[in-house]
Amino acid sequence: MKYSRILGTGSYLPKKIVTNEELTKTVDTTDEWIVSRTGIRARHVASEEETSSYMGYHAGLRALEAAKLSAKDIDMIIVATTTPDKGLPNTACLLQERLGITGIPAFDMTVACAGFVYALSVADQYIRTGMLKTILVVGVDVLTAVTNWEDRSTCVLFGDGAGAVILQAADKPGILSTHLHADGRQKDSLYIPTWLPGQRKENELPYISMDGRAVFRFAVKALEQVMEEALAANQMPQSAIDWLIPHQANLRIITALAEKLKLPLDKVVVTVDRHANTSAASVPLALDEAIRDGRIQRGQTLLLDAIGGGFVWGAAVIIY
Ligand code: ACO
């Protein structure tokens, strides 16, 4: 049986950093409020040039370099994003062009903050069945471009960035399992109105809209359940997990989950303090950071989780 193995990871963060202190100059908020409710201290904000395909390209290049491969070795590109450069072509095509390769399939997946885990799962199926050998999976978002900077209840929460992995077929694990869920009944808890001007309701702003408390409650319950499902599917006790790489939305959600899973916080990769919520990029950014700084070692067992507007959520168990 073939497994998909993470051969290399990469990431990209926009150059501009906006601290909580800077936000207080334009929004009625405080550093103390933001840190105590979310754990966020700063976020990276993309420039006009730093689009999803641009950031995804740079993250992808770094992942290729880490994998010691070149772009022509890639058999497929999947980009998880809710903030594509254009309505069409898709961001994966634009990224393919930047990489200077043609012919291989390239497509986007719009699964909000859970996009990377969903894309990883799809890529894993192609490799396990033997159809493809090497896949570039990118999670990237520019949520600050769809954030209302006058709405203090949302604008403090988001940041921009990209993370990428190169998956390759191998005889030993690899991704052990992925677990995906969705509940469309929750569509009004967290959404971005359509960007099609002809279909937007009058007076509706094209920005993220969120019922923070509803998201918080649902996220903790859904992520706890999907992580238990992932552990049970692999007959693993919590103690088998070397690293939890959670979706970086809110430090309170992350610590609540670590407590429920009885995982000490020093086994949890946290970037939300510096990156805020980067949506589809949050998990691969955290993964890349912890691999590059040497915390995550080959052979260790990783548990990934993510949740986003839909709601959509999922988990993955991976031997790195
Ligand atoms: N600064 C100061 N005060 C604020 C701010 C702010 N930035 N934002 C809201 N407030 C005020 C509110 O106006 C309210 O004031 P009031 O009591 O006078 O009406 C008060 O703070 C409490 O507001 P709540 O929304 O009840 O605050 P809560 O404790 O629920 O925290 C938060 C809000 C941080 C959004 C929380 O609900 C949360 O983290 N939810 C999860 C949302 C999330 O993670 N979303 C990310 C996207 S989804 C995803 O990735 C899964």
Side-chain angles (χ1 to χ4, degrees):
M1 182 187 184
K2 279 200 165 53
Y3 289 98
S4 322
R5 189 160 167 262
I6 296 178
L7 220 57
T9 63
S11 59
Y12 179 89
L13 286 161
K15 291 176 186 62
K16 182 178 172 188
I17 297 172
V18 177
T19 62
N20 291 349
E21 212 50 58
E22 285 168 81
L23 275 183
T24 64
K25 291 178 192 149
T26 51
V27 192
D28 180 16
T29 189
T30 60
D31 177 55
E32 194 278 329
W33 193 96
I34 303 171
V35 173
S36 64
R37 304 283 173 129
T38 70
I40 296 166
R41 294 175 187 277
R43 71 283 296 140
H44 291 250
V45 175
S47 65
E48 223 168 86
E49 181 199 28
E50 291 169 315
T51 62
S52 286
S53 75
Y54 178 96
M55 295 198 290
Y57 166 67
H58 286 284
L61 275 187
R62 286 168 194 167
L64 278 170
E65 196 187 343
K68 298 188 174 60
L69 294 181
S70 72
K72 63 175 175 24
D73 297 313
I74 302 170
D75 298 322
M76 181 157 84
I77 302 171
I78 310 178
V79 174
T81 187
T82 306
T83 47
D85 292 21
K86 297 173 186 288
L88 67 88
N90 68 47
T91 310
C93 278
L94 302 177
L95 200 158
Q96 189 201 57
E97 193 239 346
R98 286 183 190 269
L99 285 171
I101 49 177
T102 51
I104 58 162
F107 60 95
D108 289 5
M109 292 180 64
T110 310
V111 202
C113 303
F116 178 75
V117 172
Y118 263 69
L120 205 65
S121 179
V122 170
D124 184 39
Q125 310 313 312
Y126 274 96
I127 290 177
R128 274 180 190 252
T129 54
M131 270 187 82
L132 298 175
K133 187 177 166 210
T134 307
I135 302 180
L136 169 61
V137 181
V138 175
V140 57
D141 265 310
V142 199
L143 279 192
T144 66
V146 284
T147 297
N148 181 353
W149 287 94
E150 291 174 7
D151 174 9
R152 68 176 183 174
S153 69
T154 53
C155 77
V156 301
L157 301 175
F158 301 106
D160 304 324
V165 301
I166 301 285
L167 288 183
Q168 192 168 69
D171 291 328
K172 56 175 191 170
I175 296 178
L176 293 180
S177 67
T178 55
H179 307 265
L180 308 180
H181 296 280
D183 183 351
R185 291 172 303 175
Q186 312 295 330
K187 64 186 190 310
D188 297 325
S189 297
L190 177 60
Y191 65 93
I192 303 170
T194 178
W195 56 67
L196 304 178
Q199 298 205 333
R200 209 161 48 232
K201 292 191 192 103
E202 219 180 310
N203 300 327
E204 195 173 40
L205 297 170
Y207 299 131
I208 292 178
S209 179
M210 182 185 74
D211 176 348
R213 285 187 181 183
V215 174
F216 195 102
R217 277 196 304 270
F218 194 96
V220 173
K221 205 166 99 218
L223 291 177
E224 182 190 3
Q225 280 171 0
V226 77
M227 287 197 282
E228 278 171 359
E229 176 189 328
L231 290 171
N234 293 287
Q235 294 165 325
M236 267 184 193
Q238 285 98 323
S239 56
I241 300 301
D242 293 300
W243 292 102
L244 172 64
I245 299 118
H247 176 44
Q248 311 281 327
N250 183 315
L251 191 59
R252 282 158 60 213
I253 298 179
I254 294 174
T255 48
L257 287 169
E259 264 170 39
K260 283 178 188 289
L261 283 178
K262 298 189 177 58
L263 274 177
L265 271 181
D266 59 7
K267 284 187 163 191
V268 183
V269 180
V270 175
T271 57
V272 69
D273 52 332
R274 290 157 289 127
H275 299 172
N277 182 350
T278 57
S279 187
S282 108
V283 171
L285 264 168
L287 179 67
D288 184 52
E289 179 175 291
I291 286 174
R292 282 175 190 263
D293 69 19
R295 273 177 288 171
I296 295 178
Q297 295 286 321
R298 283 284 175 203
Q300 288 188 323
T301 304
L302 317 179
L303 177 59
L304 278 50
D305 78 58
I307 183 163
F311 288 117
V312 281
W313 66 102
V317 182
I318 301 172
I319 308 283
Y320 177 67

